[in-house]
Amino acid sequence: MAKEIIALEANNAWILVDLPPGKTAIGCTWVFKIKFNADGTVESYKARLVAKGYTQQEGDLDEEIYMKLPPGMARPVFLSEGFVKSLCDNSIFTYHRGTTSIFVLVYVDDIIITGTNNNFINSLKLRLASYFSIKDLGSLNYFLGIEVSRSSNSIFLCQRKYILDILKDSGLTGARASAYPMDTKLKLLPTNGTELTDPSCFRCLIGRLLYLTVTRPDITYSVNYLSQFLQHPRSAHMDAAHRILRYLKGTVGHGIFLSSSSSPSIHGYTDSDWEGCPITRRSTTGYFVTLGNSPISWKSKKQPTVARSSAEAEYRALANLTAELQWLVYLFKDMHISCPLPITVSYDIQAAIHIAQNSVFHERTKHIEIDCYFVREKLISGLILPKHLPSYDQLADVFTKPLGAPQFGHLVGKLGVCSGSTAPT
């Protein structure tokens, strides 16, 4: 705790003043955490002082209060060293001079540095140490619960220890494994089962599983589906969550494989499950993006409005994917990485392709006019190129609906999700 106070004062994190009349002070609290290495040994004991923002209630404040994560440590320092902050992601800083390219990722007080010049990286770490106290952990192998395995031509990311901790805390270490995370016929309602005596257990479990989707796209749909029952969880919802855990039990060592030898081309897949929600009749959007053969972005989300046709639901999903692809192109541009255009976008509804290529609006498309203009603009500009793909090979299916073992296994194998022991080297 003393080290935390000293560090905050050294970085000018605050200015001590008397509380002005009529102002309300937000309290603070200590948060303690033990950081572990990948093998389970203790790396360090951490203490952090945080504002108690959760004590605020709507209507209590007379003015807006803005609070940011402490970027004062990173932003001025890296900018003074010649880095440029990405316009697409405030946590990324880049440096390009001749053949030297350095990339820095900042997450609160954790920093990843990588690039093409090891001598520059070593000198940068020495200069950073002159600004603030740092601890060099060497080559990246464990970051925010993510285990990193590297070879000469690939990186493998998984959260094996994180999964084992979830299984242990849930009492399912000895549970029977499941071949897929959700039953194909499962249709949950807010009234299914009995009320849980402690709803916080379900909420905590779903929160932990949401973070797990960082390296496990195969459970993204299931976790997203269960997250809509956080307000009033019941026993049937907890049973479905335990089904996900039993699937994880059999795939503890699985993660995503990132190859350095694949092409720099981006490929997008999108799909939707029309009126799949029995509660609201809203559709679910799913998309999946690869860089070469490596997975880099995926999402499963219920659409905000009811679609009147499957073509409409598919087109809204296409608009969401198009926005993600445009952001990725901007991000890569900030990093001086060129991507071949147009980006092939695969989906399995021919009607959505006809809408994208038809410049005439009519009765069936006038209520999604903005999405039509947006997608058509990106189509004309050469950002995307729509392509029909049979449903059997549509990777985005994993993010829109529960699938049986054969089809689920077929698609997950193509997502780049595999075991560390079977990953290509």
Side-chain angles (χ1 to χ4, degrees):
M1 293 166 65
K3 290 181 180 179
E4 174 76 351
I5 292 293
I6 293 173
L8 291 170
E9 291 179 343
N11 288 313
N12 298 316
W14 55 55
I15 299 175
L16 295 178
V17 297
D18 293 329
L19 184 66
K23 302 295 182 179
T24 301
I26 299 176
C28 59
T29 185
W30 285 102
V31 175
F32 303 99
K33 183 178 181 180
I34 302 176
K35 299 185 72 173
F36 296 94
N37 295 307
D39 59 2
T41 59
V42 175
E43 176 192 325
S44 62
Y45 297 92
K46 304 281 289 186
R48 181 168 297 163
L49 186 65
V50 298
K52 295 171 64 175
Y54 57 85
T55 60
Q56 301 179 45
Q57 294 183 4
E58 184 178 358
D60 285 358
L61 302 177
D62 297 325
E63 68 282 330
E64 290 183 327
I65 291 181
Y66 299 91
M67 181 177 179
K68 297 181 179 179
L69 292 173
M73 174 190 72
R75 188 175 302 169
V77 170
F78 287 113
L79 295 182
S80 66
E81 292 291 334
F83 282 78
V84 176
K85 179 171 68 69
S86 170
L87 298 177
C88 298
D89 192 325
N90 290 330
S91 62
I92 295 179
F93 298 81
T94 61
Y95 177 94
H96 299 281
R97 294 290 188 279
T99 59
T100 297
S101 294
I102 306 297
F103 306 94
V104 175
L105 174 67
V106 179
Y107 181 82
V108 191
D109 58 352
D110 291 299
I111 302 174
I112 296 178
I113 304 175
T114 187
T116 61
N117 190 322
N118 288 332
N119 291 331
F120 184 96
I121 292 176
N122 292 330
S123 63
L124 175 62
K125 289 189 288 188
L126 292 175
R127 294 196 298 273
L128 292 179
S130 67
Y131 289 102
F132 46 81
S133 176
I134 66 172
K135 181 180 180 181
D136 187 358
L137 300 178
S139 299
L140 179 65
N141 54 49
Y142 196 64
F143 182 75
L144 302 178
I146 300 174
E147 301 171 39
V148 182
S149 301
R150 306 173 62 181
S151 67
S152 59
N153 60 357
S154 66
I155 296 178
F156 180 72
L157 306 178
C158 74
Q159 292 168 276
R160 181 178 180 276
K161 180 181 180 300
Y162 186 77
I163 295 175
L164 291 175
D165 289 342
I166 297 176
L167 291 172
K168 180 180 178 181
D169 295 342
S170 302
L172 295 178
T173 303
R176 179 173 56 88
S178 174
Y180 47 99
M182 182 170 285
D183 190 276
T184 56
K185 298 180 180 179
L186 183 67
K187 293 291 183 181
L188 292 175
L189 297 173
T191 56
N192 288 143
T194 58
E195 292 186 7
L196 298 178
T197 56
D198 184 12
S200 64
C201 293
F202 178 81
R203 295 165 185 160
C204 179
L205 176 57
I206 296 301
R208 299 177 75 176
L209 291 176
L210 281 170
Y211 184 63
L212 183 57
T213 60
V214 172
T215 62
R216 296 297 299 268
D218 49 334
I219 65 168
T220 298
Y221 169 77
S222 303
V223 177
N224 173 267
Y225 181 76
L226 293 182
S227 65
Q228 65 183 312
F229 302 106
L230 290 177
Q231 187 172 5
H232 299 292
R234 302 174 74 92
S235 58
H237 310 141
M238 181 61 86
D239 291 340
H242 285 170
R243 172 66 176 265
I244 299 177
L245 294 182
R246 291 197 294 110
Y247 168 72
L248 293 173
K249 167 68 185 308
T251 58
V252 171
H254 281 52
I256 55 176
F257 175 78
L258 308 175
S259 173
S260 62
S261 59
S262 58
S263 70
S265 60
I266 302 176
H267 196 126
Y269 302 83
T270 180
D271 192 25
S272 70
D273 182 30
W274 183 41
E275 64 168 8
C277 177
I279 306 171
T280 63
R281 288 303 178 187
R282 294 180 182 177
S283 307
T284 298
T285 287
Y287 65 68
F288 181 70
V289 183
T290 62
L291 181 64
N293 296 322
S294 302
I296 58 173
S297 180
W298 51 87
K299 190 172 187 178
S300 175
K301 184 177 179 63
K302 187 187 295 185
Q303 295 184 1
T305 58
V306 178
R308 300 176 64 188
S309 67
S310 59
E312 178 184 333
E314 292 277 353
Y315 202 80
R316 285 188 172 137
L318 173 60
N320 288 335
L321 172 60
T322 302
E324 177 72 5
L325 293 175
Q326 181 66 84
W327 176 80
L328 285 171
V329 170
Y330 288 151
L331 178 63
F332 288 165
K333 184 178 180 180
D334 285 348
M335 301 173 70
H336 289 208
I337 299 174
S338 60
C339 302
L341 297 179
I343 299 172
T344 301
V345 175
S346 301
Y347 47 110
D348 53 13
I349 297 294
Q350 290 281 9
I353 297 179
H354 295 323
I355 294 174
Q357 297 175 341
N358 184 10
S359 60
V360 179
F361 292 99
H362 49 75
E363 190 72 20
R364 294 180 60 189
T365 59
K366 64 182 183 181
H367 55 294
I368 55 171
E369 184 176 354
I370 294 178
D371 284 340
C372 290
Y373 272 116
F374 174 70
V375 173
R376 194 165 301 140
E377 179 183 80
K378 301 306 178 183
L379 177 63
I380 295 173
S381 68
L383 175 70
I384 62 172
L385 177 64
K387 176 184 177 183
H388 180 261
L389 184 70
S391 298
Y392 179 73
D393 292 320
Q394 176 53 269
L395 302 186
D397 260 4
V398 176
F399 304 94
T400 62
K401 61 181 74 69
L403 302 173
Q407 181 65 357
F408 181 80
H410 168 69
L411 294 180
V412 167
K414 294 187 175 184
L415 290 180
V417 177
C418 58
S419 170
S421 60
T422 60
T425 58

